[in-house]
Amino acid sequence: MSFDLSARLAARRADHLYRQRPLLESPQGPQVVVDGQPLLAFCNNDYLGLANHPQVIEAWQAGASRWGVGGGASHLVIGHSTPHHELEEALAEFTGRPRALLFSNGYMANLGTVTALVGQGDTVLEDRLNHASLLDAGLLSGARFNRYLHNDALSLAARLEKACGNTLVVTDGVFSMDGDLADLPALARQARAKGAWLMVDDAHGFGPLGANGGGIVEHFGLSADDVPVLGGTLGKAFGTSGAFVAGSEELIESLIQFARPYIYTTSQPPALACATLKSLELLCTEHWRREHLKQLISQFRRGAEQIGLQLMDSFTPIQPIMIGDSGRAIRLSQMLRTRGLMVTAIRPPTVPAGSARLRVTLSAAHTEAQVQLLLNALADCWRKLEPDHA
Ligand SMILES: Cc1ncc(COP(=O)(O)O)c(C=O)c1O
């Protein structure tokens, strides 16, 4: 007997679900070179335009000169260095929590946190549209795992009634493929009423949301009692890489003791923490980035609505255009590509069946003229795609 991988791959192709990796041959930014072609891109998560910022690069280079290039060991052995520690302190202050813990990436932060907090005999309740890393974490934890209807506090309340043991309610802050916000005040009320803990992964909210970039929690003015477990990633608006979880002294100490993806891995390069310290400073102080981004979002939504595109309920930099059929989503993405624009088609299983979409993302690094170019191209391509849409 052997693995029949070729049949699986062929089926994936036949379903229009085959995935390929575009080769980026330039730094991240609005203007990129992909597979040899210069393109104007609207698909990265570099919402504030910091991934290729000269000061962040300089901080990384200076960090490498001072601290070398490798973490060298796990945090608990001898890999926890001064830049990691300083970044944790800065992230704690930024989030207004007693402590923060640095992880190598968001996937590991989510796996580590959920599995450290709940296990057999406990309950984990998740929004059905949560990021894959949160859903995987819930399944891996061994706790009773249940998904409530998207952003529906009543559906959560019904599941909380049946929960047993320690109960963790888990949600994206900004939903990564839809761009809408979790109804955190309502979710927090339900969780608190039942003595459950709310964990929010605000990977896409830190930076663009809140007057100081403090994300969804700042946006809604929620306290640490409302959201005892607050996570974020550093590979999106921060422009670097890694992730963090912020919360009480006890929470962070528990993660250091019990979060296996924290314990059993090499620390991130200290120079990367130096770069993130700089990007955190820019994220907090350069308010014009958030303001400019807001204007681009309004411009895009106005223009897209005039074209008749189906947008989602989002005022964040994630502005998906709902298409439905995977084949059509790919065709529209390809048509844009021939006009020099890159917007990725997102298909199942990343999104539910029948809800393929073009995930447009905007960045403070874009100009109004670039957004207008996108709108012009969309108007043209959508007209040409229309006949088999009708
Ligand atoms: C909501 C959310 N959480 C976690 C992650 C994973 O973070 P990382 O890329 O740092 O692994 C992502 C995407 O990458 C995400 O969108």
Side-chain angles (χ1 to χ4, degrees):
M1 236 176 72
S2 67
F3 291 99
D4 193 358
L5 295 182
S6 52
R8 267 182 92 186
L9 292 172
R12 189 97 164 171
R13 265 187 215 282
D15 293 341
H16 300 291
L17 297 178
Y18 204 84
R19 293 158 182 234
Q20 272 160 319
R21 300 172 305 170
L23 184 62
L24 179 64
E25 295 163 347
S26 65
Q28 201 56 264
Q31 272 158 328
V32 290
V33 180
V34 175
D35 296 324
Q37 191 188 1
L39 292 169
L40 177 58
F42 289 90
C43 46
N44 69 31
N45 301 315
D46 180 24
Y47 304 125
L48 296 184
L50 297 177
N52 191 30
H53 192 288
Q55 288 181 46
V56 180
I57 297 170
E58 209 177 280
W60 190 318
Q61 288 168 336
S65 298
R66 170 78 174 82
W67 301 99
V69 292
S74 65
H75 283 273
L76 291 175
V77 177
I78 192 177
H80 185 66
S81 59
T82 303
H84 299 130
H85 204 72
E86 286 175 357
L87 178 56
E88 288 183 347
E89 287 174 347
L91 288 167
E93 194 186 335
F94 171 59
T95 54
R97 313 281 150 137
R99 290 204 41 200
L101 189 70
L102 189 58
F103 285 78
S104 293
N105 59 57
Y107 202 108
M108 289 167 70
N110 287 338
L111 282 194
T113 304
V114 174
T115 56
L117 294 179
V118 288
Q120 263 184 9
D122 296 326
T123 305
V124 59
L125 301 174
E126 301 211 17
D127 188 294
R128 61 185 297 271
L129 296 190
N130 271 357
H131 187 258
S133 57
L134 293 170
L135 299 172
D136 291 355
L139 288 168
L140 189 68
S141 70
R144 248 171 83 172
F145 175 74
N146 218 309
R147 297 196 291 176
Y148 56 89
L149 295 178
H150 177 51
N151 229 349
D152 186 333
L154 291 179
S155 168
L156 169 64
R159 283 158 178 78
L160 279 167
E161 287 298 331
K162 298 186 200 138
C164 56
N166 289 331
T167 301
L168 190 64
V169 176
V170 183
T171 183
D172 280 22
V174 174
F175 287 88
S176 54
M177 295 300 136
D178 297 59
D180 57 336
L181 259 59
D183 184 2
L184 276 198
L187 298 176
R189 254 194 317 278
Q190 295 295 350
R192 283 183 78 170
K194 292 288 169 198
W197 267 18
L198 179 58
M199 168 175 169
V200 177
D201 170 3
D202 204 16
H204 300 272
F206 281 114
L209 288 186
N212 301 301
I216 190 166
V217 162
E218 186 186 3
H219 173 81
F220 283 123
L222 295 174
S223 70
D225 289 335
D226 295 315
V227 182
V229 189
L230 178 59
T233 62
L234 302 171
K236 303 185 194 316
F238 285 83
T240 57
S241 181
F244 64 93
V245 172
S248 68
E249 183 73 30
E250 264 185 3
L251 171 72
I252 301 305
E253 279 304 313
S254 300
L255 296 182
I256 293 172
Q257 305 308 315
F258 305 119
R260 293 167 65 86
Y262 178 78
I263 299 166
Y264 297 108
T265 196
T266 302
S267 65
Q268 63 168 226
L272 175 54
C274 297
T276 306
L277 273 163
K278 175 52 74 178
S279 70
L280 173 60
E281 182 192 318
L282 297 173
L283 180 149
C284 294
T285 55
E286 296 199 344
H287 296 290
W288 67 264
R289 291 179 188 275
R290 268 178 291 283
E291 292 308 317
H292 178 54
L293 188 54
K294 257 186 227 154
Q295 281 166 9
L296 297 181
I297 293 166
S298 310
Q299 180 194 353
F300 176 77
R301 288 190 68 86
R302 261 196 323 274
E305 274 158 14
Q306 276 166 14
I307 298 166
L309 299 172
Q310 189 185 337
L311 295 180
M312 302 186 75
D313 179 23
S314 161
F315 64 88
T316 70
I318 303 169
Q319 290 293 328
I321 301 169
M322 180 54 80
I323 307 292
D325 176 68
S326 292
R328 289 191 77 235
I330 292 175
R331 275 206 304 289
L332 184 56
S333 173
Q334 283 167 346
M335 287 164 80
L336 289 170
R337 182 97 176 231
T338 60
R339 286 160 177 76
L341 289 145
M342 184 160 177
V343 185
T344 317
I346 305 284
R347 297 162 282 161
T350 306
V351 291
S355 72
R357 64 201 67 178
L358 252 58
R359 183 176 181 265
V360 173
T361 54
L362 297 165
S363 164
H366 286 121
T367 63
E368 281 176 36
Q370 287 171 332
V371 172
Q372 194 53 52
L373 272 174
L374 171 66
L375 289 167
N376 295 347
L378 276 169
D380 183 34
C381 296
W382 187 244
R383 239 193 347 266
K384 294 185 173 137
L385 195 69
E386 206 69 53
D388 62 273
H389 166 70

